[in-house]
Amino acid sequence: MATTNGAVENGQPDKKPPALPRPIRNLEVKFAKIFINNEWHESKSGKKFATYNPSTLEKICDVEEGDKPDVDKAVEAAQAAFQRGSAWRQLDALSRGRLLHQLADLVERDRTILATLETMDTGKPFLHAFFIDLEGCIKTLRYFAGWADKIQGKTIPTDDNVVCFTRHEPIGVCGAITPWNFPLLMLVWKLAPALCCGNTVVLKPAEQTPLTALHLGSLIKEVGFPPGVVNIVPGFGPTVGAAISSHPQIHKIAFTGSTEVGKLVKEAASRSNLKRVTLELGGKNPCIVCADADLDLAVECAHQGVFFNQGQCCTAASRVFVEEQIYAEFVRRSVEYAKKRPVGDPFDVRTEQGPQIDQKQFDKILELIESGKREGAKLECGGSAMEDRGLFITPTVFSEVTDNMRIAKEEIFGPVQPILKFKNIEEVIKRANNTDYGLTAAVFTKNLDKALKLASALESGTVWINCYNAIYAQAPFGGFKMSGNGRELGEYALAEYTEVKTVTIKLSDKNP
Amino acid sequence: MLRAAATLGPRLGRRLLSAAATQAVPAPNQQPEIFYNKIFIDNEWHDAVSKKTFPTVNPATGEVICQVAEGDKALETLDNGKPYVISYLVDLDMVLKCLRYYAGWADKYHGKTIPIDGDFFSYTRHEPVGVCGQIIPWNFPLLMQAWKLGPALATGNVVVMKVAEQTPLTALYVANLIKEAGFPPGVVNIVPGFGPTAGAAVASHEDVDKVAFTGSTEIGRLIQVAAGSSNLKRVTLELGGKSPNIIMSDADMDWAVEQAHFALFFNQGQCCCAGSRTFVQEDVYNEFVERSVARAKSRVVGNPFDSKTEQGPQVDETQFKKILGYINSGKQEGAKLLCGGGPAADRGYYIQPTVFGDVQDGMTIAKEEIFGPVMQILKFKTIEEVVGRANNSNYGLAAAVFTKDLDKANYLSQALQAGTVWVNCYDVFGAQSPFGGYKMSGSGRELGEYGLQAYTEVKTVTVKIPQKNS
């Protein structure tokens, strides 16, 4: 997924690509308050909460802690910005797109700052934050900027002497609750289509990782989005998250996080005002390696697929099914990879894996690792915390995993690769689909028929063939079953942020 | 021309004055240096193979600006004669919007996966057509260039563009920007030259896969014939018009008069969609005519670099003479000349804003495209009658309706045979909305999502699979 960062000159790639970007040492956090109406506010309660750097375990700074009254204030601002006749409602669609492009420009300008903040707050390697998270943010903003004036309704030939057409209108005030694994990117995945379609938003970034969202707030103000169009309320799930999910004047909510909390969000949404809901939840994603696969490619993709981002991806390849003929060799090569994986300081350019996000996740992962050992999986490497180094866990591989083990059923969200064996395609399809999750799946094969068959049979929102984590702003992403509702990215995302109005005009039956 | 021009239209003089006064429009360089006057191929500048050059003339003075290699910002006004303020606020604004609009489409023009019968997986790819020949006119040189380049490049084609011999300079300037932007060499190639040589070569070239032409219906015919006789290249055409502008008796009179004036006189009358048959319902006819004449008399004709000017010269001597010829035919065939009727100056190609009243459908000035500042006003009784008369033309580019009544607006917009129908406005363009002609005003549509179709070749891929499941 890494980009080459090579510049293009008159159609030819730059033969000497620029040197690697460097993080900003001793970066000062400028934005740590609640962002409403393009202004920075203290919390109504006066409370603050701390955000920590998971590599050093030190506090980065205090952030204003929002609660229901702050959410109410944000919603008021968002509603006002959405009134008919407001600056935002009257803006040409093309101009909305222009603002999104300009926001992308500023994200590009502040790319190093944002990547540094993201690394401080999440512990992910700085180069990953710079080349993957930030690249995704910029591309997603630009992609949806282009859609703004291409959101088209239809004129429709109905029965009777009427003129019938649809308007594709914005929904109104949209709430978004975003996670800590890709804080800025997951926020942009929601913000871009929401604004592109003309909505106003109230966002809650994860309490573990609020900093990049708040910096983005400053850029939104700098670009010149009208006040109230974007509002950001940092805080906790049971307070701010719950307030947004059940707010009667929020008409749509988008949530990315665990399936467990996703259910709470949907319940609250329904119980309050039946607000529209999109959810991006967990996964226990099958990665199917057939005997005829390009083995090197499969091993590498499966490895990155599960270990990327410290294993903290909803797309993690956390059930690797390998056809029995190549099983032993696959395990051997995967263990080699895992043992070589550089774990360490996320600001070190050699590091591929940083710490887990917090103690709670750390404990959960270790507990699942223990369950793997207890339930009879074969521990091939890793299996414990790195000695005396905070929240770091050694890259762990289990083989001889069977379907009923906890590590084969529950989402681990850590650097643990369970490898299972299969005999034939029909069997692996059943086993891969035998889960309430259905976010992504991957298939490694050279055979055309097998590829198309698996692509069609797997109950997943995304199927990757001979690749992994191939995510693009242009292609929709989302889950089957309990991995989520609705789709983000691509043209499909627009439907989630649009309310369709049908207008039918009766024409006079008399001659005019 | 966007809402910008439509709002500019009725209060053109005042708006432009204040815009220039408050320095919203930067002062023009009336003697810009001409850097780019050769042929642009593979991101390089070439002399013509024949070494021939041709002069491009400043229509305000009749003098030669420079020689341009013949291959078969201040620049647009110098070359075309349109008022500088308009060129800046309208033409350039629309160019930017068109390019940005199509930039956004590049990664969004989706093919489909299709539920075909049988054990097959079927999908379409939207591929570029290939080498696209584009022949553009002199009335909106930069804008017409943007309308062609935008969709062609967004869909991945390569272009050979022949620019109008009257107005090559701005297109060639843009060629250098294309190189600077980093388009790979060979993606855009620009050849200044004449129709019978360069234009004909493009239209009949065996290796050009598609030709897009904007210009007169007469030449459009030749292009289509050449395309058919050579390699059946795909053809889209944006041609002439004799667009009806229908003023119902319940129209807002002030607004209708201003818009009708703008509809005809904008760009020195040199618009394919000019509202050149103004049909006025009899109850309001006299008043409408009187006000229109007053408005035409107040139209400021002059040096296009002067910010007070509303109307510059016609583009060249050929057009100048042709328009005067039409004015004469109007007089001879019995139309009532109410103002104007001749040249407006001793030097350059200026024509007085001219209004004919009591025009009858059979007159030459009611049937043929004049492409100059000559307004025809015709009277009608009923809505059914005017539909018949408005549609009684081989043209069908645009039409407009001025009325407050919901049913009349719907009736007319459905009945008129025109690619664009404006209701209570005129010349409102957006990069987002398609534009093109019915009948002999053209084929195909430019702008909007529709504009991508002409530059796309659809490939269906159908793969046999062992078992199809829905």
Side-chain angles (χ1 to χ4, degrees):
Chain A
M1 264 171 79
T3 57
T4 59
N5 197 32
V8 175
E9 161 89 17
N10 199 25
Q12 308 301 317
D14 187 348
K15 293 195 183 17
K16 275 191 298 164
L20 287 177
R22 290 173 203 259
I24 298 171
R25 296 281 163 206
N26 305 313
L27 177 63
E28 189 202 326
V29 175
K30 294 210 181 97
F31 306 104
K33 294 191 179 185
I34 299 172
F35 183 73
I36 297 177
N37 262 333
N38 284 4
E39 290 160 353
W40 298 99
H41 298 261
E42 280 159 15
S43 65
K44 292 253 181 185
S45 66
K47 289 205 295 187
K48 296 192 217 282
F49 67 99
T51 184
Y52 295 90
N53 180 333
S55 335
T56 61
L57 299 176
E58 283 164 7
K59 179 166 91 168
I60 302 172
C61 65
D62 287 315
V63 178
E64 293 297 321
E65 184 183 333
D67 203 324
K68 184 168 182 321
D70 307 284
V71 170
D72 286 341
K73 193 160 136 198
V75 172
E76 250 176 64
Q79 272 190 300
F82 192 72
Q83 283 304 295
R84 282 181 58 78
S86 74
W88 183 239
R89 291 300 294 276
Q90 294 229 278
L91 206 58
D92 286 339
L94 184 80
S95 301
R96 291 203 302 264
R98 196 93 177 84
L99 288 172
L100 282 169
H101 265 303
Q102 287 165 340
L103 183 60
D105 290 341
L106 292 188
V107 170
E108 252 181 320
R109 181 196 70 190
D110 285 5
R111 191 169 180 166
T112 306
I113 297 174
L114 286 163
T116 304
L117 276 176
E118 200 78 300
T119 298
M120 284 163 65
D121 226 358
T122 63
K124 68 174 71 208
F126 172 77
L127 290 180
H128 292 190
F130 190 95
F131 284 118
I132 298 173
D133 294 58
L134 266 298
E135 180 84 0
C137 287
I138 293 161
K139 284 185 160 163
T140 303
L141 285 168
R142 294 203 191 286
Y143 176 76
F144 282 104
W147 266 122
D149 59 354
K150 300 169 180 65
I151 297 168
Q152 300 170 151
K154 303 168 190 289
T155 61
I156 300 163
T158 60
D159 294 354
D160 295 343
N161 192 23
V162 298
V163 165
C164 181
F165 61 90
T166 54
R167 284 173 51 82
H168 282 201
E169 303 189 347
I171 300 175
V173 179
C174 298
I177 300 174
T178 52
W180 47 259
N181 59 344
F182 294 90
L184 192 63
L185 185 59
M186 292 299 102
L187 193 131
V188 167
W189 277 24
K190 291 160 186 49
L191 189 68
L195 297 180
C196 158
C197 295
N199 298 281
T200 57
V201 288
V202 174
L203 309 164
K204 173 200 163 305
E207 56 271 23
Q208 296 91 336
T209 54
L211 301 180
T212 43
L214 295 174
H215 189 95
L216 191 73
S218 76
L219 301 182
I220 281 160
K221 176 178 175 159
E222 191 180 337
V223 163
F225 281 88
V229 171
V230 180
N231 307 279
I232 306 173
V233 185
F236 292 83
T239 47
V240 177
I244 292 176
S245 306
S246 50
H247 202 292
Q249 264 77 55
I250 290 180
H251 295 293
K252 183 258 170 7
I253 185 162
F255 170 80
T256 296
S258 68
T259 297
E260 177 198 352
V261 178
K263 287 167 83 172
L264 297 177
V265 169
K266 192 164 182 178
E267 272 177 64
S270 311
R271 199 167 287 134
S272 55
N273 65 344
L274 280 175
K275 54 176 66 61
R276 289 99 181 84
V277 179
T278 48
L279 304 170
E280 294 280 351
L281 308 176
K284 193 65 183 174
N285 309 296
C287 176
I288 299 167
V289 184
C290 300
D292 72 332
D294 173 338
L295 196 57
D296 277 331
L297 177 70
V299 166
E300 184 179 357
C301 283
H303 172 82
Q304 293 297 351
V306 78
F307 289 105
F308 176 61
N309 210 45
Q310 295 68 252
Q312 298 165 153
C313 291
C314 46
T315 63
S318 52
R319 285 185 294 156
V320 186
F321 290 97
V322 183
E323 202 163 1
E324 60 181 359
Q325 298 95 301
I326 53 163
Y327 185 81
E329 183 59 17
F330 184 93
V331 170
R332 192 189 66 73
R333 291 196 203 191
S334 299
V335 170
E336 224 172 73
Y337 253 93
K339 282 181 168 161
K340 281 192 325 222
R341 191 171 184 77
V343 183
D345 172 8
F347 283 111
D348 184 331
V349 305
R350 291 160 299 185
T351 298
E352 293 271 313
Q353 180 177 318
Q356 305 312 122
I357 187 71
D358 63 19
Q359 192 68 43
K360 182 166 157 217
Q361 287 298 310
F362 178 83
D363 291 339
K364 178 176 154 204
I365 297 159
L366 287 179
E367 200 246 317
L368 278 158
I369 290 176
E370 289 311 311
S371 81
K373 295 173 188 170
R374 265 198 326 271
E375 292 179 351
K378 182 168 168 212
L379 181 67
E380 297 275 351
C381 67
S384 59
M386 302 204 69
E387 325 177 39
D388 77 8
R389 278 176 73 187
L391 300 171
F392 294 83
I393 296 180
T394 47
T396 300
V397 178
F398 280 105
S399 64
E400 311 300 332
V401 177
T402 55
D403 291 1
N404 56 328
M405 296 176 183
R406 283 184 64 201
I407 55 172
K409 293 196 298 191
E410 294 173 37
E411 191 179 37
I412 303 174
F413 234 60
V416 182
Q417 183 182 44
I419 311 183
L420 304 89
K421 194 185 294 185
F422 75 93
K423 276 192 166 57
N424 63 60
I425 292 291
E426 286 305 328
E427 168 211 335
V428 79
I429 289 172
K430 283 205 184 62
R431 290 169 63 192
N433 287 339
N434 183 25
T435 168
D436 285 330
Y437 288 118
L439 190 56
T440 64
V443 176
F444 290 86
T445 178
K446 289 189 181 135
N447 183 279
L448 177 62
D449 283 345
K450 245 184 242 181
L452 290 179
K453 177 174 193 167
L454 283 162
S456 153
L458 290 165
E459 290 162 6
S460 308
T462 297
V463 179
W464 287 308
I465 303 190
N466 295 332
C467 57
Y468 209 91
N469 276 339
I471 294 177
Y472 309 102
Q474 300 89 357
F477 181 88
F480 276 40
K481 303 190 275 188
M482 291 183 80
S483 282
N485 293 158
R487 293 291 176 269
E488 296 195 288
L489 303 182
E491 182 178 11
Y492 297 72
L494 302 174
E496 315 284 6
Y497 288 95
T498 295
E499 198 73 55
V500 176
K501 174 188 286 174
T502 303
V503 179
T504 303
I505 303 176
K506 172 89 178 71
L507 298 178
S508 169
D509 290 322
K510 301 199 282 278
N511 277 333
Chain B
M1 268 50 71
L2 279 183
R3 224 179 294 135
T7 4
L8 279 176
R11 296 165 194 85
L12 202 58
R14 271 170 274 147
R15 276 277 183 122
L16 293 176
L17 276 177
S18 60
T22 57
Q23 289 172 327
V25 179
N29 173 2
Q30 301 197 24
Q31 319 244 319
E33 224 182 308
I34 312 295
F35 291 108
Y36 310 112
N37 61 350
K38 293 192 176 192
I39 301 172
F40 183 76
I41 295 177
D42 263 350
N43 284 10
E44 288 163 353
W45 298 97
H46 300 262
D47 287 324
V49 169
S50 68
K51 298 289 180 216
K52 284 205 296 180
T53 61
F54 65 94
T56 183
V57 172
N58 180 344
T61 59
E63 288 160 2
V64 170
I65 303 170
C66 68
Q67 294 292 328
V68 180
E70 179 180 337
D72 324 53
K73 261 172 215 183
L75 274 182
E76 193 81 316
T77 292
L78 200 64
D79 225 359
N80 166 287
K82 63 175 73 204
Y84 172 76
V85 177
I86 305 262
S87 178
Y88 187 90
L89 290 176
V90 178
D91 290 60
L92 263 301
D93 184 64
M94 294 185 69
V95 165
L96 294 172
K97 287 179 163 167
C98 178
L99 292 173
R100 292 207 164 102
Y101 177 79
Y102 279 106
W105 265 120
D107 57 358
K108 299 174 179 62
Y109 195 44
H110 306 134
K112 303 167 191 289
T113 61
I114 298 161
I116 193 176
D117 291 355
D119 287 328
F120 300 97
F121 169 52
S122 184
Y123 64 95
T124 54
R125 285 173 51 82
H126 283 189
E127 300 190 349
V129 175
V131 178
C132 298
Q134 302 183 319
I135 301 172
I136 59 173
W138 48 258
N139 60 343
F140 293 92
L142 269 179
L143 185 58
M144 293 297 102
Q145 181 187 44
W147 279 24
K148 301 265 178 303
L149 288 182
L153 299 178
T155 43
N157 295 281
V158 298
V159 167
V160 175
M161 176 176 279
K162 177 215 157 308
V163 299
E165 57 273 24
Q166 297 89 338
T167 54
L169 301 179
T170 45
L172 294 174
Y173 189 94
V174 168
N176 198 58
L177 299 180
I178 285 167
K179 176 175 176 170
E180 193 181 328
F183 283 87
V187 170
V188 180
N189 306 279
I190 304 189
V191 182
F194 292 85
T197 46
V202 167
S204 54
H205 204 288
E206 293 291 335
D207 294 325
V208 168
D209 302 296
K210 178 234 168 13
V211 65
F213 169 79
T214 298
S216 68
T217 296
E218 176 200 352
I219 304 296
R221 244 203 190 105
L222 297 180
I223 303 273
Q224 192 152 318
V225 166
S229 323
S230 56
N231 66 344
L232 282 176
K233 53 174 66 61
R234 290 95 179 84
V235 179
T236 49
L237 304 169
E238 294 280 351
L239 308 176
K242 193 70 185 175
S243 303
N245 185 6
I246 300 168
I247 318 290
M248 305 302 291
S249 55
D250 72 334
D252 176 339
M253 176 60 71
D254 277 334
W255 180 246
V257 166
E258 259 308 327
Q259 287 290 284
H261 175 82
F262 172 65
L264 188 292
F265 288 99
F266 181 65
N267 208 46
Q268 294 67 251
Q270 298 165 152
C271 289
C272 47
C273 53
S276 49
R277 286 183 291 156
T278 310
F279 288 97
V280 184
Q281 200 157 28
E282 60 181 3
D283 293 348
V284 297
Y285 180 83
N286 290 332
E287 192 187 349
F288 185 92
V289 168
E290 194 183 313
R291 291 202 204 194
S292 298
V293 169
R295 181 62 184 94
K297 281 177 172 167
S298 75
R299 191 169 183 75
V300 179
V301 181
N303 175 2
F305 282 107
D306 183 339
S307 59
K308 292 191 286 291
T309 296
E310 293 179 276
Q311 179 178 315
Q314 306 313 122
V315 80
D316 64 15
E317 194 176 7
T318 310
Q319 288 298 312
F320 178 74
K321 287 186 168 151
K322 184 169 154 208
I323 296 160
L324 291 175
Y326 277 116
I327 292 174
N328 268 333
S329 83
K331 293 173 188 166
Q332 273 156 24
E333 292 178 7
K336 197 156 141 205
L337 179 67
L338 297 168
C339 69
D346 305 321
R347 208 162 78 111
Y349 310 122
Y350 295 89
I351 295 184
Q352 296 171 320
T354 300
V355 179
F356 281 107
D358 295 347
V359 176
Q360 306 300 318
D361 292 359
M363 295 176 182
T364 307
I365 56 171
K367 294 196 297 191
E368 294 185 24
E369 191 178 37
I370 301 173
F371 231 60
V374 184
M375 185 180 205
Q376 284 63 241
I377 311 184
L378 307 88
K379 192 189 296 188
F380 76 93
K381 271 197 171 58
T382 70
I383 199 172
E384 293 92 337
E385 170 211 335
V386 79
V387 164
R389 290 169 62 190
N391 286 340
N392 183 24
S393 166
N394 282 328
Y395 289 119
L397 189 53
V401 175
F402 286 81
T403 179
K404 290 182 183 139
D405 186 274
L406 177 63
D407 286 322
K408 286 183 190 157
N410 276 314
Y411 179 88
L412 284 165
S413 52
Q414 291 187 8
L416 290 165
Q417 290 165 346
T420 297
V421 178
W422 286 300
V423 180
N424 294 331
C425 57
Y426 208 95
D427 276 345
V428 175
F429 287 84
Q432 305 88 356
S433 285
F435 180 83
Y438 278 40
K439 304 191 270 187
M440 292 183 79
S441 283
S443 50
R445 292 292 176 270
E446 294 195 290
L447 301 185
E449 181 178 4
Y450 297 76
L452 299 171
Q453 289 171 9
Y455 289 94
T456 297
E457 199 71 53
V458 177
K459 173 188 287 173
T460 303
V461 179
T462 301
V463 183
K464 168 104 181 59
I465 55 177
Q467 183 194 86
K468 186 256 318 282
N469 282 276
S470 61

